[in-house]
């Protein structure tokens, strides 16, 4: 009996370990995770739930990632052109040193909010496989588009802009 | 006596800075104890751009005179507990150390109980007495054996 309990305990721990480590890729239409993350600058925190009712372009990036550097100007330009009460861009600096992340934001003059995901937990919850990855979330908090890899101005204008509320952005 | 005390003081004074220098953190030692969070390997083995930034960060803290423990704390503040190659011995992570020991103890107790039951049931030798010789066939078995052998003309 004791041996059986021991075996069950070990199997239970293995299953628990696999469950918390396993990937959880998001599908279009799935509700996106809303865990709060600390802001990259300042002591506050934000959650995607704070953006409910708006379209949000969530961009996972890191300062050590070259493709992230390549796409940063496009994201900044897009948000300047379309920001408004119905749309926001949200950056999430993942598995990065906070100082490097802040330098990156200053270097590219990024004006949209930036959150920090030091241990990569949020990136894991979104099912990312690397950086950069970008997700368009609708006003109900559901995933509408997913861009694995860097996005360009053209991609954003052709895929994201048409979905945004007319005249509000 | 005074001369001896003076020599001892001088030796201690000379050894103290050396001892302090020995406590200084080193990148090589820390690299063996922390992970490259992106690569999923020890920092010692990682060559990714993220690993290079992590090394720069560690070297900067070493230059500031931080101890090994302080540097590991700073890395945890940046990347979370996952950056440590060995989980911390507190909170839920403590289970990483406790569970294998408990599992080993449970297995040992289960094995001991199993062996005791097996011996009580007369397993193996058929006798509880140490060194007892295996018992021979029963009288009935001997008769059957003799009858079977008698059928052969050897």
């Amino acid at each position: 009996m004791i041996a059986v309990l021991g075996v069950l305990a070990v199997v239970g721990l293995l299953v628990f370990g696999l469950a918390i480590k396993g990937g959880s890729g998001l599908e279009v239409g799935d509700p996106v995770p809303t865990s709060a993350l600390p802001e990259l600058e300042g002591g506050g925190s934000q959650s995607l739930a704070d953006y409910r009712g708006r379209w949000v372009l969530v961009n996972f990036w890191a300062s050590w990632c070259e493709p992230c550097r390549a796409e940063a100007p496009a994201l900044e330009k897009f948000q300047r052109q379309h920001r408004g009460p119905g749309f926001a861009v949200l950056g999430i600096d993942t598995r990065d040193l906070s100082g490097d992340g802040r330098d990156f934001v200053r270097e590219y003059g990024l004006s949209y909010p930036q959150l920090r995901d030091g241990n990569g937990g949020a990136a894991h919850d979104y099912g990312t496989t690397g950086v950069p990855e970008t997700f368009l979330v609708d006003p109900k908090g559901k995933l509408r588009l997913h861009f694995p890899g860097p996005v360009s101005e053209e991609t954003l204008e052709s895929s994201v802009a048409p979905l945004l509320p007319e005249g509000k952005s | 006596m005074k001369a001896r005390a003076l020599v001892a003081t001088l030796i201690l004074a000379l050894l103290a800075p050396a001892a302090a220098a020995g406590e200084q953190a080193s990148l090589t030692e820390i690299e063996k104890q922390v992970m490259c969070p992106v690569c999923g390997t020890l920092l010692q083995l990682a060559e990714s751009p993220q690993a290079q930034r992590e090394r720069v960060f560690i070297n900067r803290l070493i230059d500031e005179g931080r101890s090994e423990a302080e540097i590991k704390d700073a890395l945890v503040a940046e990347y979370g507990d996952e950056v440590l190659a060995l989980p911390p011995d507190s909170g839920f992570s403590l289970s990483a150390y406790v569970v294998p020991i408990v599992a080993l103890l449970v297995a040992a107790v289960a094995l001991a109980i199993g062996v005791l039951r097996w011996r009580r049931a007369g397993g193996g030798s058929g006798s509880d007495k140490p060194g007892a010789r295996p018992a021979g066939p029963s009288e009935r078995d001997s008769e059957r054996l003799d009858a079977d052998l008698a059928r052969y003309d050897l």
Side-chain angles (χ1 to χ4, degrees), chain B residues 110-132:
Chain B
L111 189 68
I113 290 171
V115 168
L116 280 174
R117 282 185 180 168
W118 179 68
R119 290 193 64 184
R120 277 184 196 151
S125 67
S127 168
D128 281 343
K129 292 175 186 172

Short mmCIF file of all heavy atoms in Angstrom, two decimals, chain B residues 110-132:
data_model
loop_
_atom_site.label_atom_id
_atom_site.label_comp_id
_atom_site.label_asym_id
_atom_site.label_seq_id
_atom_site.Cartn_x
_atom_site.Cartn_y
_atom_site.Cartn_z
N ALA B 110 8.97 0.51 2.26
CA ALA B 110 8.14 -0.44 1.52
C ALA B 110 8.93 -1.72 1.25
O ALA B 110 8.40 -2.83 1.38
CB ALA B 110 7.66 0.18 0.21
N LEU B 111 10.20 -1.56 0.89
CA LEU B 111 11.06 -2.73 0.60
C LEU B 111 11.25 -3.56 1.87
O LEU B 111 11.15 -4.80 1.84
CB LEU B 111 12.40 -2.24 0.06
CG LEU B 111 13.32 -3.32 -0.49
CD1 LEU B 111 12.73 -3.90 -1.76
CD2 LEU B 111 14.71 -2.74 -0.79
N ALA B 112 11.50 -2.86 2.99
CA ALA B 112 11.71 -3.56 4.26
C ALA B 112 10.46 -4.34 4.66
O ALA B 112 10.55 -5.51 5.06
CB ALA B 112 12.08 -2.55 5.35
N ILE B 113 9.29 -3.69 4.52
CA ILE B 113 8.04 -4.36 4.87
C ILE B 113 7.82 -5.57 3.96
O ILE B 113 7.44 -6.65 4.41
CB ILE B 113 6.85 -3.37 4.77
CG1 ILE B 113 6.95 -2.33 5.89
CG2 ILE B 113 5.52 -4.10 4.84
CD1 ILE B 113 5.98 -1.19 5.78
N GLY B 114 8.10 -5.37 2.68
CA GLY B 114 7.93 -6.47 1.72
C GLY B 114 8.81 -7.66 2.07
O GLY B 114 8.35 -8.81 2.04
N VAL B 115 10.07 -7.37 2.42
CA VAL B 115 11.01 -8.46 2.76
C VAL B 115 10.55 -9.19 4.02
O VAL B 115 10.57 -10.43 4.08
CB VAL B 115 12.44 -7.89 2.94
CG1 VAL B 115 13.36 -8.92 3.57
CG2 VAL B 115 13.00 -7.44 1.60
N LEU B 116 10.10 -8.41 5.02
CA LEU B 116 9.62 -9.02 6.27
C LEU B 116 8.43 -9.94 6.01
O LEU B 116 8.39 -11.07 6.50
CB LEU B 116 9.22 -7.93 7.28
CG LEU B 116 10.39 -7.30 8.04
CD1 LEU B 116 9.90 -6.15 8.89
CD2 LEU B 116 11.07 -8.35 8.92
N ARG B 117 7.49 -9.46 5.19
CA ARG B 117 6.29 -10.28 4.89
C ARG B 117 6.68 -11.54 4.14
O ARG B 117 6.14 -12.61 4.38
CB ARG B 117 5.32 -9.45 4.05
CG ARG B 117 4.54 -8.46 4.89
CD ARG B 117 3.51 -7.76 4.03
NE ARG B 117 2.76 -6.81 4.80
CZ ARG B 117 1.95 -5.89 4.29
NH1 ARG B 117 1.79 -5.85 2.98
NH2 ARG B 117 1.29 -5.06 5.05
N TRP B 118 7.61 -11.38 3.23
CA TRP B 118 8.05 -12.51 2.41
C TRP B 118 8.69 -13.59 3.28
O TRP B 118 8.45 -14.77 3.13
CB TRP B 118 9.03 -11.98 1.36
CG TRP B 118 9.59 -13.03 0.44
CD1 TRP B 118 8.93 -13.74 -0.50
CD2 TRP B 118 10.94 -13.47 0.39
NE1 TRP B 118 9.76 -14.58 -1.15
CE2 TRP B 118 11.02 -14.44 -0.62
CE3 TRP B 118 12.11 -13.14 1.10
CZ2 TRP B 118 12.20 -15.09 -0.95
CZ3 TRP B 118 13.28 -13.77 0.76
CH2 TRP B 118 13.32 -14.75 -0.25
N ARG B 119 9.49 -13.11 4.25
CA ARG B 119 10.18 -14.06 5.13
C ARG B 119 9.19 -14.76 6.04
O ARG B 119 9.28 -15.96 6.29
CB ARG B 119 11.24 -13.34 5.95
CG ARG B 119 12.42 -12.90 5.08
CD ARG B 119 13.58 -12.48 5.92
NE ARG B 119 14.10 -13.59 6.71
CZ ARG B 119 15.08 -13.45 7.58
NH1 ARG B 119 15.62 -12.27 7.78
NH2 ARG B 119 15.51 -14.49 8.27
N ARG B 120 8.19 -13.97 6.54
CA ARG B 120 7.19 -14.57 7.44
C ARG B 120 6.37 -15.61 6.71
O ARG B 120 5.93 -16.59 7.28
CB ARG B 120 6.27 -13.49 8.00
CG ARG B 120 6.90 -12.80 9.19
CD ARG B 120 5.93 -11.81 9.79
NE ARG B 120 6.63 -10.90 10.67
CZ ARG B 120 6.26 -9.67 10.92
NH1 ARG B 120 5.18 -9.18 10.32
NH2 ARG B 120 6.93 -8.92 11.73
N ALA B 121 6.16 -15.34 5.41
CA ALA B 121 5.35 -16.28 4.63
C ALA B 121 6.16 -17.50 4.23
O ALA B 121 5.67 -18.38 3.52
CB ALA B 121 4.83 -15.57 3.38
N GLY B 122 7.41 -17.54 4.66
CA GLY B 122 8.25 -18.71 4.39
C GLY B 122 8.82 -18.69 3.00
O GLY B 122 9.07 -19.74 2.41
N GLY B 123 9.00 -17.52 2.46
CA GLY B 123 9.55 -17.41 1.11
C GLY B 123 10.97 -17.93 1.06
O GLY B 123 11.70 -17.91 2.04
N GLY B 124 11.39 -18.39 -0.10
CA GLY B 124 12.78 -18.81 -0.34
C GLY B 124 13.09 -20.14 0.30
O GLY B 124 12.80 -21.19 -0.25
N SER B 125 13.63 -20.16 1.55
CA SER B 125 14.12 -21.38 2.17
C SER B 125 13.00 -22.23 2.75
O SER B 125 13.18 -23.42 3.00
CB SER B 125 15.08 -21.03 3.29
OG SER B 125 14.36 -20.40 4.34
N GLY B 126 11.86 -21.64 3.02
CA GLY B 126 10.78 -22.40 3.63
C GLY B 126 10.96 -22.48 5.12
O GLY B 126 10.23 -23.18 5.80
N SER B 127 11.97 -21.80 5.64
CA SER B 127 12.19 -21.82 7.08
C SER B 127 12.63 -20.44 7.54
O SER B 127 13.31 -19.73 6.83
CB SER B 127 13.27 -22.85 7.43
OG SER B 127 13.67 -22.67 8.76
N ASP B 128 12.22 -20.08 8.74
CA ASP B 128 12.62 -18.79 9.30
C ASP B 128 13.99 -18.86 9.94
O ASP B 128 14.59 -17.84 10.24
CB ASP B 128 11.60 -18.33 10.35
CG ASP B 128 10.37 -17.74 9.68
OD1 ASP B 128 10.45 -17.40 8.47
OD2 ASP B 128 9.35 -17.64 10.35
N LYS B 129 14.47 -20.07 10.15
CA LYS B 129 15.76 -20.20 10.83
C LYS B 129 16.90 -19.87 9.89
O LYS B 129 16.98 -20.45 8.80
CB LYS B 129 15.93 -21.63 11.34
CG LYS B 129 14.96 -21.95 12.47
CD LYS B 129 15.11 -23.41 12.85
CE LYS B 129 14.05 -23.81 13.86
NZ LYS B 129 14.04 -25.25 14.12
N PRO B 130 17.77 -18.96 10.33
CA PRO B 130 18.89 -18.62 9.46
C PRO B 130 19.79 -19.83 9.26
O PRO B 130 20.06 -20.57 10.20
CB PRO B 130 19.61 -17.50 10.20
CG PRO B 130 18.99 -17.38 11.54
CD PRO B 130 17.77 -18.21 11.58
N GLY B 131 20.22 -20.02 8.04
CA GLY B 131 21.13 -21.12 7.74
C GLY B 131 20.45 -22.46 7.62
O GLY B 131 21.11 -23.48 7.43
N ALA B 132 19.11 -22.51 7.74
CA ALA B 132 18.41 -23.79 7.65
C ALA B 132 18.54 -24.33 6.24
O ALA B 132 18.52 -23.57 5.28
CB ALA B 132 16.95 -23.61 8.01
#
